[in-house]
Amino acid sequence: MTARVMWDERYTSYDFGPGHPMHPCRLDLTHRLSQELGLLDHDDVDVVPVTAATEQDLLTVHTPDLIEAVKAAAQDPSLATGRHGLGTDDTPAFPGMHEASLLAVGGTLAACNAVWDGEVERAVNIAGGLHHAMPEKASGFCVYNDIAVGIQRLLDRGARRVVYLDLDVHHGDGVERCFWNDDRVMTISIHETGRALFPGTGFPGDTGGPKAQDTAVNVALPPGTGDEGWLRAYQAVVPTIVRAFRPEILISQHGCDCHFADPLAHLAVSMDAMAVEYQWVRELADQEAGGRWVSLGGGGYELVDVVPRAWTHLIGVATGRPVDPTLPTPPQWRRYVEDTFDRQAPAAMGDREGRPIRFGRWEDGYEPEDPVDSAIMATRRAVFPGWGLDPYFD
């Protein structure tokens, strides 16, 4: 098998209830769209059901107190009153939340194991990517941190250099916290600045603990950054710093809340730009990590127009069959959306109707007055010298 897609209908049990931004329909719609486009119907693509993680798996990252609190809240949500981050507006308790969260973690663990063992080159878990959960508390819609548990599994199995790349609009704070002082893991996060958005962290000067200096890389973009600036930020930082680190495996989180239609953030990225960047991440894994790539979901709160298309593009890239953004969405999928949600479905897989995205590469020149370039340079100045790189020219 070339690629593995983790899927289980029980993923939709991760449900904070009516009105919460992170509705599980986004997962179901993604799976349906991928099926209708035929991405899952190939001999070299393995669609695998999920085995729930165990409490022992969680304990490699999370505290026993958090796990016990989640289990209690899963039995009686009224017991969650804000302690351990449970019972808040962001992360309300719901019946069965412990069991539902174990499925997301189990999917990411299985994806990491399969790629590390060489069973497949690439694996996708769209229900993963819960990057805000901390060792001792739930946070930002995330109960357990499946990413950190997956990375810790890789380290426990002998991995010496793991790159974690976070492309969610929010800073990947939970994963960074878990590996802040571990020089075996480089965390890279490209996000809207914490001065304007939750969780209020992830600034260029945050570069890792004393035993892992320059292994936390944060690009904090100004509100309103669009396709050109977002892609430029990636190209100006990610390939160079990853090449210097020389990873054995690449884990990436693909929250699609950087899209211009997302209701919770302020970037202005199109579906087409996200599809381009997914392809770049795959190429990066091929060039710098021996092809070993685990890709995960994450944020994304425009549930119908954005998330299903974005993660279907991700599945297409991971399975070796990228979807053309000008391709019409399948009629049967559109009818399902219209019948289920009483709204018109997006007509095409992209937003730009084939118009090219023009962005200047860093080697063509740095514009200090440009807010995006200023943000990029702040990151390069903070971490590049520690790797023997020139912030201006490398």
Side-chain angles (χ1 to χ4, degrees):
M1 293 295 173
T2 299
R4 180 163 295 175
V5 178
M6 311 307 302
W7 175 249
D8 197 303
E9 291 184 359
R10 295 175 298 166
Y11 275 160
T12 59
S13 64
Y14 193 92
D15 186 355
F16 291 110
H20 192 279
M22 195 170 177
H23 195 280
C25 70
R26 64 197 194 128
L27 302 176
D28 174 65
L29 285 173
T30 300
H31 184 67
R32 289 175 182 272
L33 181 55
S34 297
Q35 280 187 313
E36 291 295 334
L37 288 173
L39 298 178
L40 308 179
D41 300 327
H42 298 277
D43 291 342
D44 60 349
V45 178
D46 198 12
V47 181
V48 176
V50 173
T51 299
T54 67
E55 288 185 33
Q56 201 61 40
D57 295 327
L58 297 181
L59 286 168
T60 63
V61 166
H62 291 291
T63 64
D65 284 351
L66 172 62
I67 297 168
E68 290 305 315
V70 174
K71 289 167 63 177
Q75 294 296 318
D76 183 356
S78 69
L79 297 176
T81 58
R83 191 163 179 263
H84 297 294
L86 302 169
T88 64
D89 289 342
D90 277 357
T91 315
F94 61 90
M97 70 185 304
H98 174 68
E99 293 75 16
S101 301
L102 289 178
L103 290 171
V105 178
T108 296
L109 278 172
C112 289
N113 282 331
V115 172
W116 187 250
D117 288 339
E119 295 177 20
V120 292
E121 295 176 12
R122 302 177 292 276
V124 188
N125 181 28
I126 61 170
L130 305 176
H131 60 167
H132 292 308
M134 297 289 178
E136 74 285 359
K137 67 175 183 178
S139 177
F141 313 163
C142 306
V143 178
Y144 298 132
N145 196 317
D146 64 290
I147 310 164
V149 175
I151 293 173
Q152 188 60 53
R153 170 65 62 83
L154 293 170
L155 298 178
D156 291 343
R157 297 193 60 198
R160 296 166 296 173
R161 294 182 306 279
V162 178
V163 161
Y164 169 65
L165 173 61
D166 192 309
L167 299 173
D168 196 288
V169 79
H170 302 91
H171 174 228
D173 58 336
V175 184
E176 182 183 272
R177 165 85 74 82
C178 289
F179 302 105
W180 179 255
N181 211 29
D182 192 329
D183 65 1
R184 296 172 295 175
V185 181
M186 173 175 278
T187 61
I188 307 170
S189 182
I190 301 177
H191 50 267
E192 184 177 348
T193 175
R195 292 188 176 89
L197 192 66
F198 176 89
T201 55
F203 297 102
D206 302 329
T207 60
K211 296 180 181 179
Q213 294 181 31
D214 303 314
T215 61
V217 182
N218 287 295
V219 184
L221 295 172
T225 300
D227 290 353
E228 293 79 5
W230 193 65
L231 294 176
R232 180 171 169 82
Y234 178 99
Q235 285 285 17
V237 173
V238 177
T240 303
I241 203 70
V242 169
R243 192 176 304 118
F245 189 71
R246 298 181 298 112
E248 298 167 301
I249 187 169
L250 175 64
I251 316 296
S252 57
Q253 195 265 26
H254 296 276
C256 50
D257 37 10
C258 54
H259 191 272
F260 59 75
D262 193 88
L264 300 187
H266 318 99
L267 296 193
V269 178
S270 73
M271 191 65 55
D272 309 60
M274 284 189 278
V276 167
E277 199 151 289
Y278 298 156
Q279 188 67 39
W280 286 354
V281 176
R282 177 183 165 172
E283 291 169 1
L284 184 69
D286 289 343
Q287 294 163 6
E288 307 298 337
R292 291 180 289 272
W293 178 32
V294 175
S295 55
L296 308 170
Y301 309 103
E302 208 314 313
L303 305 172
V304 174
D305 287 356
V306 175
V307 179
R309 291 189 298 158
W311 291 348
T312 295
H313 278 293
L314 179 63
I315 290 169
V317 170
T319 58
R321 296 168 179 86
V323 177
D324 185 342
T326 65
L327 185 74
T329 51
Q332 186 170 340
W333 184 80
R334 291 201 300 271
R335 284 194 296 272
Y336 177 82
V337 168
E338 290 156 9
D339 291 345
T340 305
F341 299 95
D342 193 26
R343 58 181 281 185
Q344 189 172 2
M349 289 298 294
D351 301 319
R352 298 177 62 98
E353 299 178 337
R355 297 188 305 274
I357 305 170
R358 306 189 187 283
F359 62 94
R361 293 180 178 270
W362 190 259
E363 55 264 31
D364 296 333
Y366 154 57
E367 298 292 338
E369 296 82 11
D370 181 270
V372 172
D373 273 16
S374 179
I376 293 169
M377 180 55 88
T379 300
R380 290 173 63 101
R381 284 177 176 150
V383 297
F384 273 35
W387 294 96
L389 300 168
D390 188 311
Y392 289 90
F393 300 110
D394 282 326

